[in-house]
Amino acid sequence: MKPKRITSHSNTAVKEAARLKRKRNRYAVRLFLAEGEDLLDAALRRLIMPRQVFVLEGHEEPAGKALAEALATGGESRRGRQPRAEAPEFYAVSQPVMAKLSELGSGSRVISVFALQEPRLPDAPPAAAGTGGAAGEETAAGPLVFLAGAGDPGNVGTAIRSAAALGAGGVILDPETADPYSPKALRATMGSVFNIPVYLNVAAGELVAWAVGLGLKIVAADAHRGMAPWEADLSGGFVLALGAERGGLSGRLKAAAQEIVHIPQVSAAESVNVAQSGSILLYEALRQRKC
Amino acid sequence: MKPKRITSHSNTAVKEAARLKRKRNRYAVRLFLAEGEDLLDAALRRLIMPRQVFVLEGHEEPAGKALAEALATGGESRRGRQPRAEAPEFYAVSQPVMAKLSELGSGSRVISVFALQEPRLPDAPPAAAGTGGAAGEETAAGPLVFLAGAGDPGNVGTAIRSAAALGAGGVILDPETADPYSPKALRATMGSVFNIPVYLNVAAGELVAWAVGLGLKIVAADAHRGMAPWEADLSGGFVLALGAERGGLSGRLKAAAQEIVHIPQVSAAESVNVAQSGSILLYEALRQRKC
Protein backbone atom coordinates (compact mmCIF):
# COMPACT_ATOMS: atom_id res chain seq x y z
CA MET A 1 0.00 0.00 0.00
CA LYS A 2 1.11 3.54 -0.73
CA PRO A 3 0.48 6.21 1.87
CA LYS A 4 -0.91 9.70 1.41
CA ARG A 5 1.48 12.40 2.54
CA ILE A 6 0.51 14.74 5.38
CA THR A 7 2.75 17.66 6.19
CA SER A 8 0.48 19.89 8.24
CA HIS A 9 -0.12 19.65 12.00
CA SER A 10 -3.59 20.99 11.42
CA ASN A 11 -4.65 18.17 9.12
CA THR A 12 -8.00 16.87 10.36
CA ALA A 13 -6.94 13.23 10.52
CA VAL A 14 -3.91 14.16 12.62
CA LYS A 15 -5.89 16.40 14.93
CA GLU A 16 -8.55 13.77 15.53
CA ALA A 17 -6.02 11.03 16.13
CA ALA A 18 -4.06 13.21 18.56
CA ARG A 19 -7.26 13.69 20.58
CA LEU A 20 -7.16 9.95 21.34
CA LYS A 21 -4.25 10.53 23.69
CA ARG A 22 -6.90 11.53 26.25
CA LYS A 23 -8.88 8.71 27.83
CA ARG A 24 -12.16 10.60 27.71
CA ASN A 25 -11.84 11.09 23.97
CA ARG A 26 -10.92 7.43 23.40
CA TYR A 27 -14.12 6.26 24.99
CA ALA A 28 -16.25 8.97 23.37
CA VAL A 29 -15.42 7.70 19.87
CA ARG A 30 -14.30 4.16 20.82
CA LEU A 31 -10.94 4.35 19.13
CA PHE A 32 -7.41 4.09 20.51
CA LEU A 33 -3.86 4.78 19.39
CA ALA A 34 -1.39 1.92 19.17
CA GLU A 35 2.22 3.10 19.07
CA GLY A 36 4.89 1.05 17.37
CA GLU A 37 5.36 -1.74 14.87
CA ASP A 38 4.92 -4.47 17.47
CA LEU A 39 1.31 -3.57 18.19
CA LEU A 40 0.42 -3.23 14.51
CA ASP A 41 2.05 -6.57 13.73
CA ALA A 42 0.23 -8.28 16.62
CA ALA A 43 -3.10 -6.97 15.36
CA LEU A 44 -2.44 -7.96 11.75
CA ARG A 45 -1.44 -11.47 12.80
CA ARG A 46 -4.97 -11.71 14.18
CA LEU A 47 -6.33 -10.08 11.01
CA ILE A 48 -7.53 -7.18 13.11
CA MET A 49 -7.34 -4.20 10.80
CA PRO A 50 -6.59 -0.66 11.98
CA ARG A 51 -8.74 2.24 10.86
CA GLN A 52 -5.75 4.45 10.21
CA VAL A 53 -2.00 4.03 10.11
CA PHE A 54 0.47 6.92 10.38
CA VAL A 55 4.07 6.14 9.44
CA LEU A 56 7.12 8.34 9.64
CA GLU A 57 8.22 9.38 6.14
CA GLY A 58 11.06 7.23 4.93
CA HIS A 59 9.69 4.21 6.81
CA GLU A 60 6.59 3.53 4.73
CA GLU A 61 7.55 0.15 3.36
CA PRO A 62 7.35 -2.39 6.21
CA ALA A 63 3.94 -1.18 7.39
CA GLY A 64 2.61 -0.84 3.82
CA LYS A 65 3.69 -4.37 3.00
CA ALA A 66 2.25 -5.84 6.20
CA LEU A 67 -1.08 -4.09 5.60
CA ALA A 68 -1.27 -5.28 1.99
CA GLU A 69 -0.54 -8.87 3.04
CA ALA A 70 -3.14 -8.84 5.81
CA LEU A 71 -5.72 -7.38 3.44
CA ALA A 72 -4.99 -10.08 0.89
CA THR A 73 -5.21 -12.90 3.44
CA GLY A 74 -8.60 -12.84 5.13
CA GLY A 75 -9.66 -16.20 6.50
CA GLU A 76 -9.72 -17.82 9.90
CA SER A 77 -8.84 -16.18 13.17
CA ARG A 78 -9.77 -16.87 16.76
CA ARG A 79 -12.66 -14.45 16.36
CA GLY A 80 -14.03 -16.72 13.65
CA ARG A 81 -14.11 -16.24 9.92
CA GLN A 82 -13.28 -12.61 9.21
CA PRO A 83 -14.97 -10.64 6.48
CA ARG A 84 -12.40 -9.26 4.08
CA ALA A 85 -11.44 -6.10 5.95
CA GLU A 86 -11.59 -2.60 4.61
CA ALA A 87 -8.23 -1.01 3.90
CA PRO A 88 -7.18 1.52 6.53
CA GLU A 89 -6.36 5.13 5.76
CA PHE A 90 -2.60 5.11 5.38
CA TYR A 91 -0.56 8.30 5.90
CA ALA A 92 3.11 9.22 5.75
CA VAL A 93 3.85 12.07 8.12
CA SER A 94 6.79 14.23 9.15
CA GLN A 95 8.68 13.87 12.43
CA PRO A 96 6.84 16.81 14.09
CA VAL A 97 3.45 15.33 13.17
CA MET A 98 4.55 11.96 14.58
CA ALA A 99 5.65 13.67 17.78
CA LYS A 100 2.21 15.23 18.07
CA LEU A 101 0.59 11.78 17.90
CA SER A 102 3.08 10.04 20.18
CA GLU A 103 2.76 9.78 23.91
CA LEU A 104 5.65 7.44 24.58
CA GLY A 105 8.24 9.77 23.13
CA SER A 106 10.45 6.89 22.18
CA GLY A 107 10.75 7.70 18.50
CA SER A 108 7.77 5.71 17.32
CA ARG A 109 7.73 5.23 13.55
CA VAL A 110 4.25 3.76 13.26
CA ILE A 111 1.10 4.81 15.09
CA SER A 112 -2.19 3.08 14.28
CA VAL A 113 -5.77 3.81 15.21
CA PHE A 114 -7.94 0.82 16.15
CA ALA A 115 -11.54 0.32 17.18
CA LEU A 116 -11.82 0.00 20.95
CA GLN A 117 -13.83 -3.09 21.82
CA GLU A 118 -15.97 -3.04 24.94
CA PRO A 119 -17.26 -6.63 25.12
CA ARG A 120 -19.94 -7.58 27.63
CA LEU A 121 -19.26 -10.39 30.09
CA PRO A 122 -20.13 -13.60 28.27
CA ASP A 123 -23.09 -15.83 29.08
CA ALA A 124 -20.79 -18.85 29.37
CA PRO A 125 -17.17 -19.16 30.55
CA PRO A 126 -14.98 -18.37 27.55
CA ALA A 127 -12.49 -20.83 26.10
CA ALA A 128 -8.80 -20.26 26.71
CA ALA A 129 -7.12 -17.53 24.69
CA GLY A 130 -5.09 -18.46 21.68
CA THR A 131 -6.85 -21.68 20.92
CA GLY A 132 -7.59 -20.62 17.37
CA GLY A 133 -5.39 -21.54 14.47
CA ALA A 134 -5.92 -25.26 14.12
CA ALA A 135 -9.63 -25.31 13.31
CA GLY A 136 -11.90 -27.16 15.68
CA GLU A 137 -9.25 -27.56 18.36
CA GLU A 138 -10.42 -26.50 21.81
CA THR A 139 -8.42 -26.12 24.99
CA ALA A 140 -9.97 -26.30 28.44
CA ALA A 141 -10.82 -22.79 29.58
CA GLY A 142 -8.16 -21.29 31.80
CA PRO A 143 -9.08 -18.89 34.58
CA LEU A 144 -10.43 -15.42 34.02
CA VAL A 145 -8.45 -12.69 35.71
CA PHE A 146 -10.18 -9.89 37.62
CA LEU A 147 -8.06 -6.82 38.43
CA ALA A 148 -9.40 -4.44 41.08
CA GLY A 149 -7.87 -1.02 41.64
CA ALA A 150 -4.66 -1.73 39.74
CA GLY A 151 -3.59 1.85 39.13
CA ASP A 152 -0.29 1.43 37.31
CA PRO A 153 -0.70 1.23 33.51
CA GLY A 154 2.47 -0.80 33.09
CA ASN A 155 1.26 -3.40 35.57
CA VAL A 156 -2.13 -3.60 33.88
CA GLY A 157 -0.52 -4.11 30.49
CA THR A 158 1.87 -6.70 31.86
CA ALA A 159 -0.98 -8.55 33.56
CA ILE A 160 -2.88 -8.70 30.25
CA ARG A 161 0.21 -9.97 28.49
CA SER A 162 0.80 -12.71 31.05
CA ALA A 163 -2.87 -13.68 31.03
CA ALA A 164 -2.77 -14.14 27.26
CA ALA A 165 0.51 -16.05 27.40
CA LEU A 166 -0.53 -18.35 30.22
CA GLY A 167 -3.87 -19.36 28.77
CA ALA A 168 -6.37 -17.23 30.68
CA GLY A 169 -9.81 -16.91 29.12
CA GLY A 170 -10.05 -13.15 29.55
CA VAL A 171 -9.18 -10.20 31.74
CA ILE A 172 -11.85 -8.25 33.62
CA LEU A 173 -11.02 -4.77 34.91
CA ASP A 174 -12.85 -2.86 37.60
CA PRO A 175 -13.54 0.87 37.18
CA GLU A 176 -10.55 1.85 39.36
CA THR A 177 -8.05 -0.07 37.25
CA ALA A 178 -5.87 1.91 34.83
CA ASP A 179 -7.09 2.13 31.24
CA PRO A 180 -5.60 -0.75 29.22
CA TYR A 181 -5.88 1.38 26.07
CA SER A 182 -3.46 4.07 27.25
CA PRO A 183 -0.15 4.10 25.35
CA LYS A 184 1.85 2.93 28.37
CA ALA A 185 -0.47 0.02 29.15
CA LEU A 186 -0.62 -0.99 25.48
CA ARG A 187 3.15 -1.01 25.22
CA ALA A 188 3.35 -3.37 28.18
CA THR A 189 0.79 -5.73 26.61
CA MET A 190 3.17 -6.21 23.66
CA GLY A 191 0.07 -6.61 21.50
CA SER A 192 -1.59 -9.32 23.54
CA VAL A 193 -4.55 -6.97 24.02
CA PHE A 194 -5.57 -8.19 20.56
CA ASN A 195 -5.39 -11.84 21.65
CA ILE A 196 -7.55 -12.00 24.73
CA PRO A 197 -10.93 -10.49 25.63
CA VAL A 198 -10.64 -7.50 27.97
CA TYR A 199 -13.81 -6.56 29.85
CA LEU A 200 -13.95 -2.99 31.14
CA ASN A 201 -15.65 -1.23 34.05
CA VAL A 202 -16.90 -4.31 35.88
CA ALA A 203 -17.48 -3.47 39.54
CA ALA A 204 -16.80 -6.15 42.17
CA GLY A 205 -20.52 -6.62 42.88
CA GLU A 206 -21.28 -7.18 39.23
CA LEU A 207 -18.41 -9.64 38.96
CA VAL A 208 -19.61 -11.66 41.93
CA ALA A 209 -23.19 -11.81 40.61
CA TRP A 210 -21.92 -12.88 37.20
CA ALA A 211 -19.60 -15.59 38.58
CA VAL A 212 -22.34 -16.96 40.84
CA GLY A 213 -24.72 -17.03 37.89
CA LEU A 214 -22.29 -19.11 35.83
CA GLY A 215 -21.28 -21.30 38.78
CA LEU A 216 -17.68 -20.07 38.47
CA LYS A 217 -15.51 -20.30 41.57
CA ILE A 218 -13.81 -17.10 42.71
CA VAL A 219 -10.25 -17.45 43.96
CA ALA A 220 -8.96 -14.32 45.67
CA ALA A 221 -5.26 -13.56 46.08
CA ASP A 222 -4.29 -11.99 49.36
CA ALA A 223 -0.94 -10.50 50.34
CA HIS A 224 -1.13 -11.62 53.96
CA ARG A 225 -3.09 -14.81 54.46
CA GLY A 226 -4.59 -17.78 52.65
CA MET A 227 -3.48 -21.17 51.53
CA ALA A 228 -0.42 -21.77 49.41
CA PRO A 229 -1.35 -21.77 45.71
CA TRP A 230 -0.33 -25.43 45.33
CA GLU A 231 -2.78 -26.39 48.09
CA ALA A 232 -5.73 -24.79 46.30
CA ASP A 233 -7.56 -26.51 43.46
CA LEU A 234 -6.84 -24.30 40.46
CA SER A 235 -7.25 -26.96 37.81
CA GLY A 236 -10.70 -26.02 36.53
CA GLY A 237 -12.27 -22.79 35.32
CA PHE A 238 -12.40 -20.00 37.91
CA VAL A 239 -12.07 -16.26 38.35
CA LEU A 240 -8.74 -15.18 39.80
CA ALA A 241 -9.29 -11.91 41.68
CA LEU A 242 -6.25 -9.70 42.22
CA GLY A 243 -6.30 -6.49 44.23
CA ALA A 244 -4.32 -3.29 44.17
CA GLU A 245 -0.86 -3.26 45.63
CA ARG A 246 -1.69 -1.29 48.78
CA GLY A 247 -5.42 -1.70 49.23
CA GLY A 248 -5.86 -5.33 48.26
CA LEU A 249 -9.29 -6.70 47.47
CA SER A 250 -12.46 -5.45 49.16
CA GLY A 251 -13.83 -7.41 52.10
CA ARG A 252 -16.95 -8.04 50.08
CA LEU A 253 -15.06 -9.70 47.31
CA LYS A 254 -12.99 -11.79 49.70
CA ALA A 255 -16.18 -12.85 51.48
CA ALA A 256 -17.60 -14.01 48.14
CA ALA A 257 -14.46 -15.98 47.26
CA GLN A 258 -14.54 -19.75 47.66
CA GLU A 259 -10.77 -19.85 48.13
CA ILE A 260 -8.17 -17.36 49.29
CA VAL A 261 -4.63 -17.98 48.16
CA HIS A 262 -1.43 -16.38 49.34
CA ILE A 263 1.95 -16.56 47.65
CA PRO A 264 4.45 -17.41 50.40
CA GLN A 265 6.94 -14.59 50.71
CA VAL A 266 10.07 -14.19 52.69
CA SER A 267 8.77 -11.48 55.01
CA ALA A 268 5.79 -9.22 55.45
CA ALA A 269 7.85 -6.30 54.16
CA GLU A 270 8.45 -8.06 50.86
CA SER A 271 5.89 -8.66 48.19
CA VAL A 272 5.48 -9.17 44.48
CA ASN A 273 3.44 -6.70 42.42
CA VAL A 274 -0.03 -7.40 41.08
CA ALA A 275 1.23 -8.47 37.66
CA GLN A 276 3.75 -10.84 39.26
CA SER A 277 1.08 -12.36 41.50
CA GLY A 278 -1.12 -12.87 38.47
CA SER A 279 1.63 -14.58 36.50
CA ILE A 280 2.54 -16.87 39.37
CA LEU A 281 -1.05 -17.93 40.00
CA LEU A 282 -1.81 -18.43 36.30
CA TYR A 283 1.33 -20.52 36.07
CA GLU A 284 0.19 -22.60 39.04
CA ALA A 285 -3.21 -23.08 37.40
CA LEU A 286 -1.50 -24.14 34.17
CA ARG A 287 0.73 -26.56 36.08
CA GLN A 288 -2.27 -28.14 37.79
CA ARG A 289 -4.13 -28.47 34.47
CA LYS A 290 -1.12 -30.16 32.86
CA CYS A 291 0.01 -32.38 35.73
CA MET B 1 16.18 15.26 63.66
CA LYS B 2 15.97 18.85 62.46
CA PRO B 3 17.05 19.60 58.91
CA LYS B 4 19.24 22.44 57.66
CA ARG B 5 17.48 24.67 55.18
CA ILE B 6 18.80 24.97 51.61
CA THR B 7 17.24 27.51 49.29
CA SER B 8 19.85 27.81 46.56
CA HIS B 9 20.15 25.57 43.49
CA SER B 10 23.85 26.18 43.53
CA ASN B 11 24.38 24.75 47.01
CA THR B 12 27.23 22.27 46.80
CA ALA B 13 25.34 19.39 48.42
CA VAL B 14 22.50 19.82 45.93
CA LYS B 15 24.80 20.07 42.95
CA GLU B 16 26.74 16.97 43.94
CA ALA B 17 23.60 14.97 44.62
CA ALA B 18 22.06 16.02 41.30
CA ARG B 19 25.15 14.68 39.52
CA LEU B 20 24.14 11.19 40.74
CA LYS B 21 21.30 11.18 38.23
CA ARG B 22 23.95 10.09 35.71
CA LYS B 23 25.12 6.51 35.86
CA ARG B 24 28.75 7.39 35.25
CA ASN B 25 28.79 9.74 38.21
CA ARG B 26 27.08 7.20 40.46
CA TYR B 27 29.82 4.67 39.88
CA ALA B 28 32.60 7.26 40.07
CA VAL B 29 31.72 8.14 43.67
CA ARG B 30 29.77 4.96 44.57
CA LEU B 31 26.63 6.75 45.70
CA PHE B 32 23.07 6.66 44.41
CA LEU B 33 19.85 8.63 44.79
CA ALA B 34 16.79 6.92 46.24
CA GLU B 35 13.57 8.80 45.51
CA GLY B 36 10.61 8.56 47.82
CA GLU B 37 9.66 7.61 51.35
CA ASP B 38 9.30 3.92 50.50
CA LEU B 39 12.96 3.48 49.66
CA LEU B 40 14.14 5.39 52.72
CA ASP B 41 11.82 3.37 54.95
CA ALA B 42 12.99 0.09 53.43
CA ALA B 43 16.61 1.03 54.09
CA LEU B 44 15.97 2.17 57.65
CA ARG B 45 14.10 -1.06 58.43
CA ARG B 46 17.39 -2.79 57.61
CA LEU B 47 19.28 -0.14 59.62
CA ILE B 48 20.99 0.93 56.44
CA MET B 49 21.67 4.63 56.94
CA PRO B 50 21.69 7.15 54.09
CA ARG B 51 24.53 9.65 53.75
CA GLN B 52 22.16 12.51 53.01
CA VAL B 53 18.44 13.08 53.05
CA PHE B 54 16.70 15.93 51.22
CA VAL B 55 13.08 16.58 52.16
CA LEU B 56 10.62 19.04 50.69
CA GLU B 57 10.03 21.92 53.12
CA GLY B 58 6.84 21.40 55.07
CA HIS B 59 7.35 17.62 55.03
CA GLU B 60 10.31 17.36 57.37
CA GLU B 61 8.68 15.44 60.18
CA PRO B 62 8.11 11.86 58.99
CA ALA B 63 11.63 11.50 57.61
CA GLY B 64 13.19 13.26 60.61
CA LYS B 65 11.38 10.98 63.01
CA ALA B 66 12.24 7.81 61.07
CA LEU B 67 15.90 8.80 60.95
CA ALA B 68 16.03 9.55 64.67
CA GLU B 69 14.42 6.21 65.49
CA ALA B 70 16.77 4.25 63.27
CA LEU B 71 19.77 6.04 64.77
CA ALA B 72 18.56 5.25 68.28
CA THR B 73 17.92 1.58 67.49
CA GLY B 74 21.10 0.01 66.21
CA GLY B 75 21.26 -3.71 66.86
CA GLU B 76 20.65 -6.80 64.80
CA SER B 77 20.01 -6.88 61.07
CA ARG B 78 20.49 -9.51 58.44
CA ARG B 79 23.91 -8.02 57.77
CA GLY B 80 24.82 -8.86 61.36
CA ARG B 81 25.29 -6.57 64.34
CA GLN B 82 25.44 -3.00 63.03
CA PRO B 83 27.69 -0.38 64.46
CA ARG B 84 25.71 2.61 65.63
CA ALA B 85 25.47 4.51 62.37
CA GLU B 86 26.54 8.07 61.75
CA ALA B 87 23.67 10.53 61.35
CA PRO B 88 23.10 11.59 57.75
CA GLU B 89 23.20 15.16 56.54
CA PHE B 90 19.56 16.22 56.64
CA TYR B 91 18.30 19.09 54.46
CA ALA B 92 14.95 20.77 53.88
CA VAL B 93 14.76 22.14 50.36
CA SER B 94 12.35 24.11 48.18
CA GLN B 95 10.25 22.58 45.42
CA PRO B 96 12.59 23.78 42.63
CA VAL B 97 15.60 22.23 44.38
CA MET B 98 13.66 18.98 44.80
CA ALA B 99 12.78 19.06 41.11
CA LYS B 100 16.47 19.41 40.29
CA LEU B 101 17.26 16.24 42.26
CA SER B 102 14.29 14.23 41.01
CA GLU B 103 14.31 12.07 37.94
CA LEU B 104 10.92 10.47 38.33
CA GLY B 105 9.02 13.76 38.26
CA SER B 106 6.27 12.33 40.38
CA GLY B 107 6.42 14.92 43.12
CA SER B 108 8.93 13.15 45.34
CA ARG B 109 9.07 14.64 48.83
CA VAL B 110 12.12 12.74 50.05
CA ILE B 111 15.31 11.97 48.15
CA SER B 112 18.13 10.17 49.93
CA VAL B 113 21.74 9.46 49.01
CA PHE B 114 23.08 6.00 49.84
CA ALA B 115 26.39 4.22 49.43
CA LEU B 116 26.37 2.01 46.36
CA GLN B 117 27.53 -1.48 47.28
CA GLU B 118 29.43 -3.50 44.70
CA PRO B 119 29.80 -6.88 46.42
CA ARG B 120 32.02 -9.54 44.91
CA LEU B 121 30.57 -12.96 44.13
CA PRO B 122 30.77 -14.94 47.35
CA ASP B 123 33.06 -17.88 47.96
CA ALA B 124 30.10 -20.02 49.06
CA PRO B 125 26.45 -20.02 47.96
CA PRO B 126 24.71 -17.35 50.04
CA ALA B 127 21.80 -18.09 52.37
CA ALA B 128 18.32 -17.03 51.33
CA ALA B 129 17.48 -13.34 51.64
CA GLY B 130 15.51 -12.15 54.61
CA THR B 131 16.55 -14.92 56.94
CA GLY B 132 17.75 -12.47 59.55
CA GLY B 133 15.55 -11.21 62.34
CA ALA B 134 15.19 -14.26 64.50
CA ALA B 135 18.81 -14.78 65.45
CA GLY B 136 20.42 -18.04 64.45
CA GLU B 137 17.56 -19.08 62.16
CA GLU B 138 18.69 -20.24 58.76
CA THR B 139 16.65 -21.02 55.67
CA ALA B 140 17.91 -23.24 52.89
CA ALA B 141 19.47 -21.06 50.21
CA GLY B 142 17.11 -20.32 47.35
CA PRO B 143 18.42 -19.90 43.84
CA LEU B 144 20.56 -17.05 42.66
CA VAL B 145 19.18 -15.15 39.70
CA PHE B 146 21.42 -14.16 36.78
CA LEU B 147 20.03 -11.52 34.41
CA ALA B 148 21.71 -11.18 31.02
CA GLY B 149 20.99 -8.25 28.72
CA ALA B 150 17.83 -7.13 30.52
CA GLY B 151 17.68 -3.59 29.19
CA ASP B 152 14.50 -2.25 30.76
CA PRO B 153 15.11 -0.62 34.18
CA GLY B 154 11.56 -1.37 35.34
CA ASN B 155 11.98 -5.06 34.56
CA VAL B 156 15.32 -5.18 36.35
CA GLY B 157 13.85 -3.53 39.44
CA THR B 158 10.83 -5.82 39.38
CA ALA B 159 13.06 -8.88 39.01
CA ILE B 160 15.08 -7.80 42.07
CA ARG B 161 11.86 -7.24 44.03
CA SER B 162 10.52 -10.68 43.13
CA ALA B 163 13.84 -12.33 43.88
CA ALA B 164 13.88 -10.81 47.35
CA ALA B 165 10.23 -11.70 47.98
CA LEU B 166 10.52 -15.27 46.74
CA GLY B 167 13.60 -16.18 48.71
CA ALA B 168 16.41 -15.94 46.18
CA GLY B 169 19.91 -15.70 47.61
CA GLY B 170 21.01 -12.84 45.36
CA VAL B 171 20.74 -11.27 41.94
CA ILE B 172 23.66 -11.21 39.53
CA LEU B 173 23.59 -8.76 36.62
CA ASP B 174 25.65 -8.93 33.47
CA PRO B 175 27.23 -5.78 32.01
CA GLU B 176 24.43 -5.33 29.44
CA THR B 177 21.68 -5.30 32.06
CA ALA B 178 20.18 -1.94 33.02
CA ASP B 179 21.64 -0.25 36.09
CA PRO B 180 19.64 -1.30 39.17
CA TYR B 181 20.61 1.99 40.85
CA SER B 182 18.82 4.21 38.33
CA PRO B 183 15.74 5.97 39.75
CA LYS B 184 13.33 3.93 37.60
CA ALA B 185 14.84 0.58 38.52
CA LEU B 186 14.98 1.54 42.19
CA ARG B 187 11.33 2.53 42.20
CA ALA B 188 10.40 -0.88 40.79
CA THR B 189 12.43 -2.65 43.49
CA MET B 190 10.20 -1.02 46.14
CA GLY B 191 13.23 -0.99 48.40
CA SER B 192 14.08 -4.66 48.10
CA VAL B 193 17.46 -3.64 46.71
CA PHE B 194 18.40 -3.17 50.37
CA ASN B 195 17.30 -6.72 51.25
CA ILE B 196 19.17 -8.88 48.79
CA PRO B 197 22.74 -8.86 47.49
CA VAL B 198 23.02 -7.47 43.96
CA TYR B 199 26.19 -8.37 42.06
CA LEU B 200 27.10 -6.08 39.18
CA ASN B 201 28.99 -6.48 35.91
CA VAL B 202 29.36 -10.24 35.94
CA ALA B 203 29.88 -11.51 32.40
CA ALA B 204 28.44 -14.89 31.41
CA GLY B 205 31.87 -16.49 31.27
CA GLU B 206 32.71 -15.33 34.76
CA LEU B 207 29.36 -16.57 36.04
CA VAL B 208 29.88 -20.02 34.56
CA ALA B 209 33.37 -20.31 36.01
CA TRP B 210 32.11 -19.22 39.42
CA ALA B 211 29.16 -21.63 39.41
CA VAL B 212 31.35 -24.53 38.32
CA GLY B 213 33.82 -23.67 41.07
CA LEU B 214 31.09 -23.82 43.71
CA GLY B 215 29.42 -26.87 42.19
CA LEU B 216 26.24 -24.85 41.61
CA LYS B 217 23.89 -26.08 38.91
CA ILE B 218 22.93 -23.57 36.20
CA VAL B 219 19.31 -23.66 35.08
CA ALA B 220 18.69 -21.59 31.95
CA ALA B 221 15.26 -20.30 30.98
CA ASP B 222 14.47 -20.41 27.28
CA ALA B 223 11.52 -18.87 25.48
CA HIS B 224 11.21 -21.66 22.93
CA ARG B 225 12.31 -25.03 24.23
CA GLY B 226 13.19 -26.94 27.34
CA MET B 227 11.40 -28.96 29.95
CA ALA B 228 8.42 -27.68 31.88
CA PRO B 229 9.54 -26.05 35.14
CA TRP B 230 7.70 -28.65 37.21
CA GLU B 231 9.68 -31.42 35.47
CA ALA B 232 13.02 -29.88 36.41
CA ASP B 233 14.59 -30.34 39.84
CA LEU B 234 14.60 -26.83 41.27
CA SER B 235 14.52 -27.84 44.91
CA GLY B 236 18.16 -27.20 45.79
CA GLY B 237 20.53 -24.29 45.32
CA PHE B 238 21.17 -23.27 41.71
CA VAL B 239 21.70 -20.30 39.44
CA LEU B 240 18.62 -19.34 37.43
CA ALA B 241 19.83 -17.68 34.22
CA LEU B 242 17.36 -15.39 32.45
CA GLY B 243 18.03 -13.72 29.12
CA ALA B 244 16.87 -10.55 27.44
CA GLU B 245 13.42 -10.46 25.94
CA ARG B 246 14.50 -10.57 22.29
CA GLY B 247 17.97 -12.03 22.36
CA GLY B 248 17.61 -14.67 25.05
CA LEU B 249 20.68 -16.22 26.61
CA SER B 250 23.92 -16.77 24.75
CA GLY B 251 24.60 -20.19 23.29
CA ARG B 252 27.63 -20.44 25.52
CA LEU B 253 25.59 -20.00 28.65
CA LYS B 254 22.97 -22.46 27.48
CA ALA B 255 25.68 -24.97 26.68
CA ALA B 256 26.99 -24.60 30.23
CA ALA B 257 23.53 -25.07 31.75
CA GLN B 258 22.69 -28.44 33.30
CA GLU B 259 18.99 -27.88 32.69
CA ILE B 260 16.97 -25.75 30.28
CA VAL B 261 13.46 -24.88 31.34
CA HIS B 262 10.66 -23.37 29.30
CA ILE B 263 7.45 -21.88 30.63
CA PRO B 264 4.66 -23.39 28.52
CA GLN B 265 2.88 -20.60 26.69
CA VAL B 266 -0.18 -20.50 24.60
CA SER B 267 1.51 -19.73 21.31
CA ALA B 268 4.89 -18.76 19.95
CA ALA B 269 3.69 -15.19 19.52
CA GLU B 270 2.91 -14.87 23.22
CA SER B 271 5.42 -14.64 25.97
CA VAL B 272 5.96 -13.30 29.45
CA ASN B 273 8.64 -10.70 30.13
CA VAL B 274 11.93 -11.44 31.88
CA ALA B 275 10.67 -10.31 35.29
CA GLN B 276 7.57 -12.49 34.93
CA SER B 277 9.65 -15.51 33.92
CA GLY B 278 11.86 -14.94 36.92
CA SER B 279 8.91 -14.75 39.30
CA ILE B 280 7.32 -17.88 37.91
CA LEU B 281 10.52 -19.91 38.11
CA LEU B 282 11.37 -18.67 41.61
CA TYR B 283 7.84 -19.56 42.66
CA GLU B 284 8.26 -23.05 41.20
CA ALA B 285 11.56 -23.43 43.08
CA LEU B 286 9.85 -22.31 46.29
CA ARG B 287 7.00 -24.76 45.69
CA GLN B 288 9.44 -27.60 45.20
CA ARG B 289 11.35 -26.67 48.37
CA LYS B 290 8.14 -26.58 50.40
CA CYS B 291 6.34 -29.60 48.95
Side-chain angles (χ1 to χ4, degrees), chain A residues 38 45-46 129-130 158 161-162 164-167 190 192 195 229-230 245-246 263-266 269-273 275-276 279-280 283-284 286-287 290-291, chain B residues 38 45-46 129-130 158 161-162 164-167 190 192 195 229-230 245-246 263-266 269-273 275-276 279-280 283-284 286-287 290-291:
Chain A
D38 289 342
R45 270 198 302 273
R46 291 290 183 188
T158 302
R161 177 180 176 183
S162 298
L166 298 168
M190 287 291 285
S192 59
N195 298 346
W230 55 83
E245 194 125 334
R246 307 224 174 194
I263 299 166
Q265 279 143 22
V266 162
E270 308 277 357
S271 64
V272 294
N273 74 34
Q276 308 293 106
S279 291
I280 287 171
Y283 163 81
E284 176 61 27
L286 187 69
R287 186 187 72 79
K290 301 238 181 191
C291 281
Chain B
D38 289 343
R45 271 197 302 273
R46 291 289 183 189
T158 302
R161 177 181 176 183
S162 299
L166 298 168
M190 288 291 286
S192 58
N195 299 346
W230 56 81
E245 193 125 334
R246 307 222 176 199
I263 299 166
Q265 279 145 19
V266 163
E270 309 277 359
S271 64
V272 293
N273 73 35
Q276 308 294 106
S279 291
I280 288 171
Y283 163 80
E284 176 61 27
L286 188 68
R287 187 187 71 79
K290 300 240 182 190
C291 280

Side-chain angles (χ1 to χ4, degrees), chain A residues 34 36-48 50 62-63 65-67 70 110 112 114 190-191 194-195, chain B residues 246 269:
Chain A
E37 289 90 342
D38 289 342
L39 288 172
L40 177 60
D41 288 348
L44 294 178
R45 270 198 302 273
R46 291 290 183 188
L47 301 176
I48 296 169
K65 209 175 144 196
L67 288 169
V110 179
S112 315
F114 285 94
M190 287 291 285
F194 296 113
N195 298 346
Chain B
R246 307 222 176 199

Side-chain angles (χ1 to χ4, degrees), chain A residues 41-102:
Chain A
D41 288 348
L44 294 178
R45 270 198 302 273
R46 291 290 183 188
L47 301 176
I48 296 169
M49 199 55 65
R51 303 290 183 86
Q52 296 175 312
V53 178
F54 299 87
V55 294
L56 183 63
E57 348 171 87
H59 300 87
E60 294 86 349
E61 204 185 307
K65 209 175 144 196
L67 288 169
E69 282 176 8
L71 282 165
T73 307
E76 296 294 333
S77 87
R78 65 170 269 273
R79 303 196 178 189
R81 179 116 200 138
Q82 299 284 315
R84 204 155 280 252
E86 222 173 292
E89 299 168 20
F90 186 33
Y91 301 111
V93 303
S94 62
Q95 182 67 63
V97 170
M98 210 63 181
K100 187 176 174 178
L101 293 173
S102 169

Side-chain angles (χ1 to χ4, degrees), chain A residues 273 276, chain B residues 23 27 145-164 170-193 196-201 242-245 273-276 278-279 282:
Chain A
N273 74 34
Q276 308 293 106
Chain B
K23 180 178 175 185
Y27 286 87
V145 176
F146 175 64
L147 293 182
D152 181 82
N155 280 346
V156 172
T158 302
I160 292 172
R161 177 181 176 183
S162 299
V171 181
I172 306 167
L173 309 180
D174 87 336
E176 276 71 51
T177 288
D179 183 21
Y181 295 103
S182 74
K184 274 191 191 171
L186 285 168
R187 176 169 55 180
T189 70
M190 288 291 286
S192 58
V193 73
I196 186 168
V198 178
Y199 306 96
L200 303 167
N201 286 315
L242 301 165
E245 193 125 334
N273 73 35
V274 62
Q276 308 294 106
S279 291
L282 289 173

